[in-house]
């Protein structure tokens, strides 16, 4: 864990962020990282299993609902349970509400660099930041594209006409297309108040 944090902090020196604190001790950071990961990391694993099941049983058009309804519902339920903000965002977002903020954009760009250098890159980062005089722990986990993602986020030829039409109807400003496998599709982003 420590090694991961050290790598993350080396890639993103704290000093590059105006609003990032240097106050968190290594121990505080690694405890925050650990307890955040326990809550958040099972989410993409669960989602992917549900998505694969749905595609197999009911087909890709029906499976749109998994990414459209189930994922945000899951994130919302977890947010309510913990009191943290938990959501999925991307630089190339499909849902207009899934747009990255500055911190998320830098973090996701960093993950893209990591993944380009190592296909098994861990792609996670945790930092203590100050927002309006209050301290928060920000956590991000990279979501990598796999074969299953291509039918809805892949290149034009990988998306059926039926799906294309459906996606266009729901998301006229969709940016989340044209992906290959092993790219960073987006991140799970957490903002957790520190008491
Ligand atoms: C059946 C179609 C479908 C498949 C397969 C699919 N997605 Fe999505 N994805 C969507 C839709 C639709 C949205 C928009 C959801 C919303 O409205 O919040 C979306 C949104 C997302 C977002 C939120 C950010 C954004 O762009 O709005 C992420 C991250 C994401 N998908 C990752 C993945 C990953 C990773 C995979 C493969 C494991 C995957 N998706 C597979 C349809 C799909």
């Amino acid at each position: 864990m420590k090694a991961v944090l050290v790598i993350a902090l080396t890639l993103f020196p704290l000093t590059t962020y105006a609003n990032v604190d240097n106050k968190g001790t290594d121990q505080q950071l690694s405890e925050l990282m650990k307890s955040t990961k326990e809550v958040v990391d099972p989410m993409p694993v669960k989602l992917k299993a549900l998505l694969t099941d749905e595609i197999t049983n009911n087909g890709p058009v029906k499976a749109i609902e998994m990414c459209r309804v189930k994922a945000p519902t899951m994130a919302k339920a977890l947010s309510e349970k913990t009191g943290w903000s938990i959501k999925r965002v991307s630089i190339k977002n499909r849902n207009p509400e899934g747009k990255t903020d500055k911190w998320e954009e830098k973090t996701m760009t960093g993950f893209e660099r990591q993944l380009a250098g190592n296909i098994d890159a861990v792609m996670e980062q945790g930092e203590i930041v100050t927002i309006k005089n209050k301290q928060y722990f920000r956590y991000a986990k990279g979501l990598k594209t796999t074969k299953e993602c291509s039918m809805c986020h892949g290149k034009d030829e990988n998306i059926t006409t039926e799906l294309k039409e459906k996606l266009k109807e729901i998301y006229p400003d969709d940016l989340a297309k044209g992906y290959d496998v092993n790219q960073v599709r987006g991140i799970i982003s957490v903002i957790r108040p520190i008491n």
Side-chain angles (χ1 to χ4, degrees):
M1 177 56 49
K2 246 206 169 135
V4 170
L5 269 173
V6 170
I7 293 166
L9 293 174
T10 314
L11 282 167
F12 300 91
L14 291 170
T15 47
T16 56
Y17 296 103
N19 65 339
V20 171
D21 278 351
N22 229 337
K23 292 189 199 105
T25 60
D26 277 0
Q27 198 196 347
Q28 186 191 16
L29 261 178
S30 71
E31 272 162 15
L32 283 164
M33 192 79 171
K34 181 164 177 274
S35 51
T36 305
K37 280 171 62 58
E38 271 166 14
V39 171
V40 176
D41 288 3
M43 195 178 125
V45 182
K46 247 189 251 168
L47 263 176
K48 199 161 158 228
L50 287 171
L51 192 65
T52 313
D53 266 9
E54 188 71 8
I55 292 169
T56 313
N57 296 327
N58 298 314
V61 173
K62 278 265 162 52
I64 286 182
E65 297 304 306
M66 279 296 142
C67 237
R68 195 176 78 85
V69 181
K70 187 75 191 174
T73 308
M74 224 184 236
K76 191 159 169 255
L78 269 188
S79 298
E80 275 164 11
K81 199 170 137 200
T82 53
W84 314 341
S85 153
I86 303 171
K87 54 184 183 166
R88 297 183 316 161
V89 296
S90 179
I91 294 171
K92 283 172 57 182
N93 53 311
R94 170 159 287 167
N95 186 319
E97 297 193 0
K99 184 81 202 143
T100 40
D101 69 17
K102 278 233 153 60
W103 185 90
E104 291 159 341
E105 193 178 318
K106 282 202 176 176
T107 305
M108 185 172 156
T109 306
F111 290 164
E112 283 168 347
R113 272 201 300 270
Q114 285 177 30
L115 195 62
N118 170 15
I119 211 168
D120 298 317
V122 177
M123 299 199 292
E124 59 187 25
Q125 189 179 347
E127 273 175 24
I128 293 171
V129 303
T130 302
I131 305 169
K132 294 193 178 134
N133 292 326
K134 281 189 71 181
Q135 280 201 316
Y136 296 86
F137 179 64
R138 291 203 75 162
Y139 171 77
K141 168 134 200 125
L143 302 169
K144 186 163 73 172
T145 46
T146 54
K147 216 167 56 253
E148 295 88 354
C149 318
S150 301
M151 67 176 69
C152 294
H153 296 295
K155 303 216 180 318
D156 223 34
E157 64 267 23
N158 295 324
I159 310 177
T160 63
T161 310
E162 191 189 6
L163 255 179
K164 253 181 244 166
E165 276 165 12
K166 186 85 190 160
L167 287 171
K168 200 166 171 194
E169 180 193 318
I170 315 177
Y171 308 100
D173 302 317
D174 189 4
L175 300 174
K177 291 177 293 190
Y179 282 87
D180 248 318
V181 292
N182 294 319
Q183 289 189 300
V184 188
R185 176 58 270 278
I187 59 173
I188 293 190
S189 174
V190 179
I191 307 180
R192 173 178 174 180
I194 301 175
N195 304 315

